[in-house]
Amino acid sequence: MPRPSARTRKSTRRPVATVWPFRPTARYGGQVAKALRLETVGGIIMLLAAVAALIWANTPWSDAYYDLQHVEFSPSWLNIGHMDLAHWASGGLLAVFFFLAGLELREELTHGELRNPRDAALPVIAASAGVVLPALIFLLVSAGEAGASRGWAIPTATDIAFALAVLAVTFSACPAPLRAFLLTLAVVDDLIAITIIALFYTDSMKWGWLGLGVVLIAVYGFLQSRGVRSPWVYAPLAVLAWYFVLKSGVHATVAGVALGMLTSPRETPDGRPTNAERADHFLRPFSAGFAVPVFAFLSAGVTLSVSALGDVFTDRIALGVIAGLVIGKFIGVFGGAWLAVRSGLATLGADLHWREIAGVAMLAGVGFTVSLLIGGLAYTDPSQLERVTTAVLIASVLASAAATVVFRRRTRARALLSDRPG
């Protein structure tokens, strides 16, 4: 029987005792945290945050929204230059999101689909093709536009939380292998995206700061390998590593994914939760309930007037983003999976159907979190960034709608098959 993933494995720790006045608060807080560990809940909260931002940005009080985005918080003792709330959300809060992505990747490599090269071939090849095709389509559509070369990576990303939430809501009969395929696809996609950010969206490198960050990340990994369990040791190391990577000029989310991948999933002799399980247990509710929704709220507020939407559909960079996510992701993921199976490099599971793979390929066009992050790194001009953000939102809605149609039909088809006698 396959070992359950870190996000689904139950902790064996005994609950912390609480005195009477705080028992209801502790109980309700635990219930909220448990709910936030579900992808469906996290995806819905993120969606609500984005909708709230869109509504506020299209009211007479929109100036207050943009003022909130640019509220500066840069204490002199941190020596990090000028950072407003939007930058803290993308460089700070999203580091937690990518830390969890690193945990998921390590889990897949250790216990999941990626531990066996033949099993890993299908989602890895599909994810790789799903990065290359959208980038090529973006460059083709936006060719000749000023600054087009900066945005080629925007349509290459798939949002894990959003995609899994749509899958859970729209495909009640979803077979476990299909969900595993999407999860592995999205995790590999995230690894490629963070590599792209590190290599192509670092304008200047300060090697001394980066060296300090690498040393601390290495110390973190060494202590994990030695079985040290105290979070009071790891928390300061992680924060300092994040700070040094931020100072180096490399996007700080790189530190998050590196630390996540180095967090140990090793079982303990007494059956206690692993370091990876404990980190996932405590950080996932924070990521799903605060970090990602705040980033979505501070990033998704764009003007949706007729003229603004007209600008999106006449801007070839924005059109390249839409085409890359909606068309490129589908062709890349589905085509990559098909070629992997046809060439004999991978096999399609007995409980999977090509129409369901097609639905996942459509769903991969939900870029949202990472696409918005890369868009903010690629374009600093406010008007161009707003058009790109709007394009990501439009593409994510279109991809979700197309996938929903496919999954609804597959739900009915599976229901009919299960009702047949024999």
Side-chain angles (χ1 to χ4, degrees), residues 57-58 61-71 301-303 386:
N58 288 276
W61 304 279
S62 58
D63 288 344
Y65 172 79
Y66 296 116
D67 290 341
L68 176 65
Q69 282 182 315
H70 300 296
V71 170
V302 292
T303 303
E386 183 166 288

Side-chain angles (χ1 to χ4, degrees), residues 16-337:
V16 178
T18 53
V19 295
W20 172 78
F22 302 103
R23 279 179 187 159
T25 301
R27 183 172 67 252
Y28 298 144
Q31 291 172 347
V32 170
K34 183 178 179 180
L36 289 172
R37 293 186 186 98
L38 301 174
E39 291 91 354
T40 307
V41 175
I44 290 172
I45 293 174
M46 177 177 63
L47 178 61
L48 291 175
V51 170
L54 285 170
I55 291 173
W56 190 357
N58 288 276
T59 65
W61 304 279
S62 58
D63 288 344
Y65 172 79
Y66 296 116
D67 290 341
L68 176 65
Q69 282 182 315
H70 300 296
V71 170
E72 189 171 317
F73 179 71
S74 305
S76 57
W77 56 272
L78 280 177
N79 191 27
I80 54 175
H82 300 287
M83 284 189 64
D84 55 25
L85 293 184
H87 284 98
W88 276 106
S90 63
L93 294 178
L94 276 196
V96 179
F97 170 82
F98 276 105
F99 177 87
L100 292 171
L103 287 181
E104 290 172 336
L105 181 60
R106 176 69 179 268
E107 175 68 20
E108 290 297 323
L109 288 167
T110 307
H111 305 296
E113 296 292 321
L114 298 180
R115 74 185 185 279
N116 185 317
R118 188 167 177 79
D119 291 339
L122 186 64
V124 169
I125 294 173
S128 301
V131 168
V132 174
L133 262 294
L136 292 177
I137 287 178
F138 172 87
L139 291 172
L140 181 64
V141 174
S142 63
E145 288 288 304
S149 60
R150 289 285 296 169
W152 65 270
I154 297 172
T156 62
T158 296
D159 189 283
I160 295 178
F162 205 149
L164 287 174
V166 173
L167 181 67
V169 171
T170 61
F171 195 12
S172 57
C174 175
L178 184 67
R179 187 186 179 283
F181 173 77
L182 175 58
L183 177 60
T184 308
L185 174 85
V187 169
V188 174
D189 190 284
D190 270 351
L191 178 63
I192 297 173
I194 204 68
T195 304
I196 289 171
I197 290 171
L199 295 177
F200 298 99
Y201 292 95
T202 299
D203 294 326
S204 61
M205 187 83 74
K206 297 176 182 176
W207 293 101
W209 289 110
L210 181 61
L212 288 172
V214 170
V215 167
L216 288 180
I217 291 171
V219 171
Y220 178 97
F222 174 76
L223 294 176
Q224 289 283 345
S225 69
R226 301 300 295 177
V228 176
R229 291 179 57 82
S230 174
W232 300 108
V233 173
Y234 293 122
L237 280 174
V239 171
L240 285 174
W242 169 86
Y243 174 75
F244 290 144
V245 171
L246 176 70
K247 289 282 291 180
S248 74
V250 176
H251 201 269
T253 51
V254 175
V257 77
L259 292 167
M261 289 185 66
L262 289 173
T263 303
S264 175
R266 183 185 302 167
E267 296 281 355
T268 58
D270 55 2
R272 289 183 296 170
T274 66
N275 284 350
E277 288 172 331
R278 293 200 304 168
D280 186 279
H281 182 82
F282 286 109
L283 289 178
R284 191 166 297 279
F286 173 78
S287 176
F290 182 76
V292 174
V294 167
F295 171 77
F297 180 77
L298 292 173
S299 303
V302 292
T303 303
L304 295 179
S305 65
V306 174
S307 60
L309 291 174
D311 291 340
V312 170
F313 288 102
T314 55
D315 178 18
R316 283 196 289 144
I317 290 177
L319 288 174
V321 171
I322 296 173
L325 283 170
V326 177
I327 301 173
K329 273 291 184 183
F330 172 73
I331 296 175
V333 171
F334 186 80

Side-chain angles (χ1 to χ4, degrees), residues 118 121-122 125 335-347 354:
R118 188 167 177 79
L122 186 64
I125 294 173
W338 185 82
L339 286 174
V341 173
R342 289 283 294 179
S343 64
L345 295 174
T347 56
W354 279 115

